[in-house]
Amino acid sequence: PPLEVQYGFAVMAVYPDSPMARAGLGCGTIINQVDGQWITAGNLNTVYSKLLAPNGAATLSVADNRRYR
């Protein structure tokens, strides 16, 4: 059955040898928190800037309660 989530977004693509790939995250993974902040439609720009920061490291939480750094 599909996983129902209230917050977050689904990963649509993962580059080979990227931090997400090395962490074992793949297409369809639901990321629901970044650095402890729930992801909503209202804060997507802030979330994207954390994820795309060239020297930044973010702690991700996924819908099955795993955490990745």
Side-chain angles (χ1 to χ4, degrees):
L3 182 64
E4 292 186 28
V5 295
Q6 183 175 1
Y7 299 100
F9 64 89
V11 173
M12 301 303 292
V14 177
Y15 291 106
D17 201 38
S18 67
M20 289 183 71
R22 289 190 298 272
L25 299 174
C27 293
T29 299
I30 305 293
I31 299 174
N32 56 16
Q33 288 185 23
V34 174
D35 292 338
Q37 181 179 15
W38 289 101
I39 299 168
T40 66
N43 68 5
L44 280 178
N45 287 336
T46 301
V47 168
Y48 289 147
S49 66
K50 288 181 181 184
L51 293 176
L52 299 174
N55 61 348
T59 300
L60 307 178
S61 296
V62 298
D64 65 0
N65 294 323
R66 293 177 290 164
R67 291 193 179 274
Y68 296 91
R69 181 154 181 84

